[in-house]
Amino acid sequence: MELRELFNEQRIESGGSAVLLALYSPIGLILLILRIFIGIHVFVISSLLPKFSLLRRVILRVLQGILGFIVTSEGSKNHDEDVTMVVANHISVFDHVALNLILPCTVPNVWNFPKFLSWSMGFQDMGANQGRQSLVNNVKQYCAEEKHPVLAFPEGSVTSGRAGLLKYSVWPFSVGQSVQPVCISAHRPIAASLSHISSSLWLDIMWFLFVPFTLFHVKILPVMKKRESQTVEDFAREVQVAMATELKVEATKFTSQDKAEYIKRRTVDSSTTAESAAVTKLPPPPPPSDPAPIKTPPTPPPSPTQKEPPKFNFRQSWSEKETSGELEIMVRQVKEVLCDTDETVIREDLVKTNSVDATITNIVEGHISPEPSPAPTIEETGNAESKDNVTTSPGAQKFYDTSFAKTSKERQQSLLERKQALMAMARK
């Protein structure tokens, strides 16, 4: 058996029962409102009358019947007044209320409820928050002084009551040598479970007041005694098996701590599923607005006689810019700074550098001549020495730096001074 089979994971069953519950909802809401006011009177009466008096039990049984708590019992002949410890299975938050109408008991507060809530629900503080041994000692002292037994739910947590019992805690079996087992079962006319694995106390109370009624059946089993050779753990296991056999369920080894861990895992899994569903519902991101890729025409295969690839033609790469006028804009930008420089020289260098700053730097530093070279004559073509006698213009020599600075700061300063001098000359 799996752990999840011991609990109700759905409050309302699907199918025809859910339809019936939906039709009943208007009546249930009216009952809920009326029963809240009646419940206040029940609480006041239960607080004023003596706890173990017969009159209190009769009045509460009638009023709780109006609230929807109907209790039947069997096996009263098995009740032993000398037994100080009563143990019962745990299927709802009102198990002790139903049992007190049949068998008046004192219920120790082992759930760490606030004082007012514990008092209003009939729980008594016996030092459970101080440890198990302190609880056992206080219960023994109470049983020695009082004649009414103590009621314990050794499972430590609520189950559905239809599949199995949680492993019993050993503290109720450490108080005395004998215990009074009691089996509790419940039924509702509509398909709404008594408890939900992740519901709160107040939500369970609201459902008790909402449904037409809840029928509790209390069966008192014969007293079970601990043998001398038997350990407390073995005695607790024996009682668990006997009660599981009577309820026709399985006596499991799962504990209330296992339930707490299962609830944590269930909560985490639900959160992860919700986040995944939210991410799935998000619209897909819009496609990136990247420009369409430029299709490059395929390069024709080289001829068999070609030994090396042709050199890159800078003028051909600028054909589109020349057509669009971008190159002419860059030429004018350089011309505004260097008025004496010929546009042909600027245009030729821009084709190579594709940068206004780089072209200005080349002209200022004398890497290129600011005036176009004269076309070679027939005589100069035949004279090889004319190629070595090319001189720069006076404007370029004027702003030509004779030495190369050692540091980048000095080179930057020299470039700035030459630019300022050129701009001053251009204004004249």
Side-chain angles (χ1 to χ4, degrees):
M1 175 181 293
E2 296 183 3
L3 179 62
R4 61 181 179 84
E5 299 178 16
L6 299 177
F7 316 107
N8 294 313
E9 295 191 351
Q10 292 182 351
R11 174 76 66 175
I12 303 172
E13 298 179 2
S14 59
S17 300
V19 176
L20 180 63
L21 181 62
L23 297 175
Y24 167 77
S25 296
I27 302 175
L29 291 175
I30 297 174
L31 283 177
L32 173 63
I33 297 173
L34 293 176
R35 285 172 173 175
I36 288 176
F37 290 101
I38 298 174
I40 296 175
H41 293 80
V42 174
F43 173 73
V44 173
I45 294 173
S46 63
S47 301
L48 295 177
L49 295 178
K51 184 176 181 180
F52 299 106
S53 65
L54 178 61
L55 178 62
R56 179 179 184 270
R57 291 168 54 189
V58 173
I59 294 176
L60 289 181
R61 189 156 189 171
V62 174
L63 293 177
Q64 288 178 2
I66 299 175
L67 294 178
F69 293 87
I70 302 176
V71 183
T72 60
S73 64
E74 66 173 309
S76 56
K77 63 181 181 179
N78 295 324
H79 175 52
D80 188 352
E81 295 182 354
D82 295 333
V83 177
T84 58
M85 179 60 63
V86 177
V87 294
N89 59 311
H90 204 9
I91 59 175
S92 73
V93 296
F94 286 116
D95 292 340
H96 67 287
V97 176
L99 190 56
N100 265 297
L101 297 177
I102 305 299
L103 187 64
C105 301
T106 298
V107 184
N109 180 20
V110 296
W111 294 278
N112 296 324
F113 288 151
K115 291 184 178 181
F116 175 77
L117 184 60
S118 299
W119 174 77
S120 62
M121 296 189 68
F123 299 149
Q124 184 170 343
D125 186 13
M126 292 187 178
N129 55 355
Q130 300 176 3
R132 184 172 65 181
Q133 189 59 42
S134 176
L135 173 62
V136 172
N137 294 335
N138 292 333
V139 172
K140 287 182 178 180
Q141 183 179 357
Y142 175 85
C143 293
E145 297 174 356
E146 302 289 339
K147 63 178 181 178
H148 299 288
V150 174
L151 172 62
F153 299 101
E155 287 181 285
S157 186
V158 176
T159 65
S160 65
R162 297 193 299 263
L165 300 177
L166 293 175
K167 183 180 179 180
Y168 280 5
S169 176
V170 298
W171 78 263
F173 307 94
S174 303
V175 176
Q177 296 296 319
S178 60
V179 296
Q180 180 83 68
V182 176
C183 295
I184 303 176
S185 58
H187 172 72
R188 282 176 174 172
I190 59 176
S193 59
L194 275 69
S195 63
H196 186 267
I197 187 171
S198 58
S199 64
S200 62
L201 171 65
W202 297 109
L203 187 59
D204 287 343
I205 294 175
M206 292 297 105
W207 273 97
F208 266 95
L209 302 178
F210 175 81
V211 298
F213 62 88
T214 302
L215 178 62
F216 285 92
H217 183 71
V218 178
K219 185 175 184 179
I220 302 175
L221 302 182
V223 175
M224 299 184 67
K225 296 183 179 181
K226 176 178 173 294
R227 298 186 297 272
E228 294 183 359
S229 60
Q230 197 174 27
T231 62
V232 178
E233 289 78 8
D234 294 338
F235 183 40
R237 179 65 179 176
E238 182 182 356
V239 175
Q240 180 192 12
V241 172
M243 295 179 64
T245 303
E246 181 66 31
L247 292 170
K248 298 180 181 180
V249 295
E250 182 177 344
T252 69
K253 294 184 179 181
F254 297 114
T255 63
S256 57
Q257 289 80 9
D258 295 332
K259 178 185 176 181
E261 293 295 329
Y262 174 71
I263 293 175
K264 291 180 181 179
R265 293 195 305 268
R266 187 172 180 269
T267 304
V268 172
D269 294 342
S270 300
S271 302
T272 305
T273 304
E275 292 177 358
S276 301
V279 171
T280 304
K281 292 181 180 180
L282 290 176
S289 57
D290 294 334
I294 300 174
K295 296 182 179 180
T296 306
T299 304
S303 60
T305 58
Q306 186 178 359
K307 297 182 179 180
E308 58 182 5
K311 296 182 179 180
F312 183 78
N313 190 345
F314 292 96
R315 292 188 178 273
Q316 184 180 0
S317 65
W318 270 95
S319 60
E320 296 182 1
K321 288 191 176 182
E322 288 177 351
T323 304
S324 61
E326 295 182 13
L327 179 60
E328 296 301 326
I329 295 174
M330 299 172 68
V331 170
R332 286 196 297 270
Q333 291 176 353
V334 177
K335 188 68 176 178
E336 290 176 359
V337 179
L338 304 175
C339 303
D340 294 342
T341 307
D342 189 88
E343 292 185 2
T344 305
V345 177
I346 296 174
R347 186 177 292 103
E348 291 179 354
D349 194 68
L350 283 174
V351 171
K352 298 178 181 179
T353 61
N354 195 17
S355 172
V356 174
D357 294 335
T359 298
I360 293 175
T361 302
N362 291 338
I363 297 175
V364 171
E365 293 184 354
H367 297 311
I368 62 174
S369 175
E371 298 180 357
S373 301
T377 61
I378 299 175
E379 295 178 358
E380 290 175 345
T381 304
N383 189 1
E385 294 179 359
S386 62
K387 297 181 182 180
D388 299 330
N389 295 331
V390 178
T391 57
T392 59
S393 65
Q397 291 178 356
K398 181 177 180 179
F399 302 100
Y400 185 80
D401 201 353
T402 57
S403 61
F404 185 74
K406 296 182 179 180
T407 64
S408 60
K409 184 175 182 181
E410 292 177 356
R411 292 193 295 270
Q412 187 69 20
Q413 183 65 26
S414 176
L415 176 60
L416 181 60
E417 291 175 357
R418 283 177 279 164
K419 284 184 178 181
Q420 292 176 354
L422 281 171
M423 293 176 67
M425 186 187 70
R427 295 190 186 98
K428 293 179 180 181

